[in-house]
Amino acid sequence: MNTDREAQLRAQLTRSTGPARLRPLTELSQILADRYWRIGPGQATALPALTEAIDCLTEAYDLFEAVDPLRAQVAAHLGWLLNTRHTVHGGPDTDRQTAIARLEEAVAAVGLPPVLTTIARFSLGQLYLHRLVRGLDGHGVGRLLSGAAPDPDGVAEAERAVDCFRQVIAADQMGAETREVSKVMLELAEAVRDLLSRSNQGATTAFDLTPIIQLMTKLQQMQQRTGGLLAEFSMPPLFDFSPPATVDPLDRPVVVVTVPDPAEDAVLPATPRPAVAPDPAALRRALRERVADDGDPYLALAALLRPDTPTPPGLVDDLVGLATAAVHAAGAAATAADRVALAVALYLRGTNDTDDGWGNGGDDLRSATALLLAAADALPAEPSGVDPIAVELAELLGEAVRDTVHARFAPVAEALRAVRVAALAWPRADDTLLLRTETGCFDRVPTGRDLPDRVVVVGTDPLAAGDAVVVSYVGTARQAAELATRVPMRVTEAPVIVADPRGGRVTAELDRLRRLYPRSVVLGGDGSGTDGTGTPDEVLAHLDASMLHLDCAIDTDGSLALAGPAELTPAMIAVRGGHARSEGGLAVLPPGGAGSGLLADALLTVGFTAVVDWVRPVPRTVATLMLTLLHTELVRGGLRPAAAVRAVGRRLQDPARIAPAQLPPALTAADLADPAYRTAMVLRGI
């Protein structure tokens, strides 16, 4: 009978498209899954049926709309089958990652039949525990005993496995034998968690592996005693396609854990296929590609929050699955960006599902609120794209959430207001999000509208404000607040000039700088007439300079090419420190260094208040002029660094304002016509 029905379903699929394929796909998947169980789990001849059943459910899952309550049921079935292929047949790690995403979606759903929820949770616990057990082979334990760093995700995954098995046992949806195995698996998960927790706390000796080996042996003996049927159950059908079965749905076999004979390894059983932990970076990359292809994922998520933006079918559920998987894979290392992405996805699903009759919308919105509030403390330290969408989502989730998120940025606004910065800005394609320092409130200014006269931009995206605004750039809002607390030193107080330490030449540029900074320490050249040759140690000894002018090559990794020849890396600078740095100086970088951003970050970390950097290369003659103008504005004009950078751009825009004596012989005013020169020099910091 099933053979005839299978042929009918296959014929129906050949002439069906779109949602019309849903029923035949799900019914065919059941027939194929039944065939798999009849042949026998783990049998090579059964694998094609399992794989085709997974393919059917994968297509069906993508066809369901987000508002359809059956979507979660299909997710549970699909995750369960993927789990079987991964644990029983050694399927690829992508099976495990996708299974976790689908099962997490299923257990988070409201209205899922209790038995489906229980089986989905059991499968989740199995997936997490399976990887942990396989990671504790002789090699893995050897690494822990040697003092090597433990897997940072291990404890989080063990905690998740413990939680899943506890809920499975509490649900009491299984027979006595299956419940007994679940208790053993819970004990095993707790033992692995405790082992890894001690390792994370630095206890790398005196591990007692006996309880884990005993539990694994006990689990194996229980499976053997019952013919391998313990803790192994089948899913109820998605649809009622046939008369009710007379066999208990929990009696069909699924192998849950393969435990090698402890006699094979005196320390811990070896496993044939080492598992790979879920890679949070790969999941984040998959999430970015799904929402934005090669574009900006935060802009794409922000667009989805707008009520007039159409949402492609299946997108929101994919985002929920991928974002959930990323958060769980990262565990305790999950970032605020991870949580905000999941909060946005849940908000989108919650607002789409509010009228589906299942009550999912309210749960999703509550979860979105909890995730955003959990991320709030870390938002000021997050990259530029996260904060605007977090602020937008907070406004959508209500006044209390909005006020909580705004309050996290209040210290930033206060610190910037004290140094006369009017606003912190996050530029985007069609507007700029501003944190007004006077009020501590956020607002949006459409592109093309007037901005405050002094703005600090978070990130590296240029601010479309012309030269009417004094602008500088920081990596995060928190960095802006930290830099604002440093007292800027007068540039003439203790200047240091690093002049071509590998070239052995003293240039006219150096002569001009010496006239502007007569008290300067000069490192470079051949040491003749200077204070040193410009070695890494000499430069490190002068990181407390009031003005550090660097005229040397910068490598792609941000390293300075100094005398020796030797290199000074950003890491060497960042760990050096310097004095307490309640005050900070200005560093000036040479143009054309691809790694200048890394170097600028290190200099800000070590105590400088600001760094003059370049966003694009400019001809040497033009750069020489721009640096001459910069130092003239700093010393003789008495301007702060950000204002001095703006003044350089203004002078290039109007070459008549440049004194003829300042123009290098090979450069004319006409050579300065390229508008890209005016915006090439930027200030990082305050």
Side-chain angles (χ1 to χ4, degrees), residues 571-614:
M572 294 166 63
I573 293 173
V575 300
R576 182 58 177 248
H579 59 68
R581 304 323 296 258
S582 60
E583 56 182 9
L586 169 70
V588 181
L589 304 187
S596 64
L598 298 171
L599 179 59
D601 289 340
L603 290 168
L604 292 174
T605 299
V606 83
F608 285 87
T609 302
V611 178
V612 174
D613 195 7
W614 305 78

Side-chain angles (χ1 to χ4, degrees), residues 82-411:
L82 286 166
N83 171 37
T84 302
R85 186 166 69 180
H86 177 70
T87 57
V88 179
H89 294 274
D93 195 59
T94 52
D95 279 356
R96 180 179 182 272
Q97 294 174 6
T98 306
I100 287 176
R102 299 294 174 260
L103 292 168
E104 291 284 8
E105 178 183 352
V107 299
V110 177
L112 196 69
V115 69
L116 282 182
T117 302
T118 298
I119 296 174
R121 281 206 177 97
F122 185 93
S123 295
L124 268 176
Q126 177 189 354
L127 285 164
Y128 287 120
L129 182 59
H130 187 260
R131 188 193 76 84
L132 294 169
V133 169
R134 301 184 82 174
L136 289 176
D137 57 10
H139 174 69
V141 172
R143 289 184 72 254
L144 294 178
L145 291 173
S146 70
D151 180 1
D153 301 325
V155 175
E157 292 194 3
E159 286 283 7
R160 183 66 177 131
V162 167
D163 179 64
C164 288
F165 289 127
R166 282 177 178 168
Q167 293 190 61
V168 166
I169 295 168
D172 198 21
Q173 294 286 328
M174 305 171 297
E177 291 177 336
T178 307
R179 181 181 175 87
E180 184 182 0
V181 170
S182 296
K183 289 181 177 178
V184 175
M185 297 184 78
L186 172 60
E187 291 180 54
L188 180 57
E190 290 174 333
V192 173
R193 176 199 61 191
D194 294 343
L195 174 68
L196 296 178
S197 295
R198 288 196 298 274
S199 175
N200 277 343
Q201 295 164 7
T204 57
T205 59
F207 283 144
D208 183 9
L209 302 174
T210 304
I212 293 178
I213 296 175
Q214 290 175 343
L215 287 167
M216 294 174 68
T217 303
K218 181 178 180 181
L219 182 62
Q220 183 183 44
Q221 291 171 346
M222 293 171 70
Q223 291 178 296
Q224 291 173 343
R225 188 174 68 244
T226 58
L229 299 182
L230 285 176
E232 302 167 0
F233 31 82
S234 68
M235 286 287 195
L238 280 169
F239 304 110
D240 187 14
F241 296 129
S242 57
T246 58
V247 180
D248 190 316
L250 300 183
D251 287 339
R252 217 180 297 176
V254 179
V255 179
V256 292
V257 173
T258 302
V259 184
D261 187 348
E264 295 176 2
D265 192 324
V267 179
L268 205 65
T271 52
R273 295 184 181 92
V276 180
D279 182 4
L283 291 168
R284 292 169 185 140
R285 186 164 53 251
L287 178 62
R288 288 195 299 269
E289 292 172 354
R290 182 66 181 95
V291 70
D293 292 326
D294 295 328
D296 186 329
Y298 299 114
L299 287 178
L301 287 173
L304 290 174
L305 288 176
R306 297 169 187 159
D308 57 343
T309 301
T311 304
L315 174 61
V316 171
D317 288 287
D318 286 349
L319 298 183
V320 171
L322 288 167
T324 299
V327 169
H328 283 295
T335 65
D338 293 330
R339 294 187 173 91
V340 169
L342 180 53
V344 171
L346 289 170
Y347 173 83
L348 292 170
R349 189 172 71 176
T351 52
N352 287 337
D353 289 352
T354 49
D355 295 324
D356 69 355
W358 289 83
N360 297 351
D363 283 345
D364 281 340
L365 295 180
R366 284 188 289 273
S367 296
T369 298
L371 282 162
L372 184 57
L373 293 177
D377 285 341
L379 286 174
E382 281 293 307
S384 59
V386 180
D387 293 339
I389 194 169
V391 170
E392 290 187 18
L393 181 60
E395 293 172 352
L396 294 170
L397 288 172
E399 183 176 346
V401 181
R402 180 202 65 194
D403 291 346
T404 299
V405 171
H406 284 200
R408 299 303 185 270
F409 288 88

Side-chain angles (χ1 to χ4, degrees), residues 13 24-25 67 98 108 110 150 194 247 277 424 459 544 548 579 614 682:
L13 286 170
L25 283 169
V67 297
T98 306
V110 177
D194 294 343
V247 180
L424 193 65
D544 56 354
L548 177 63
H579 59 68
W614 305 78
V682 297

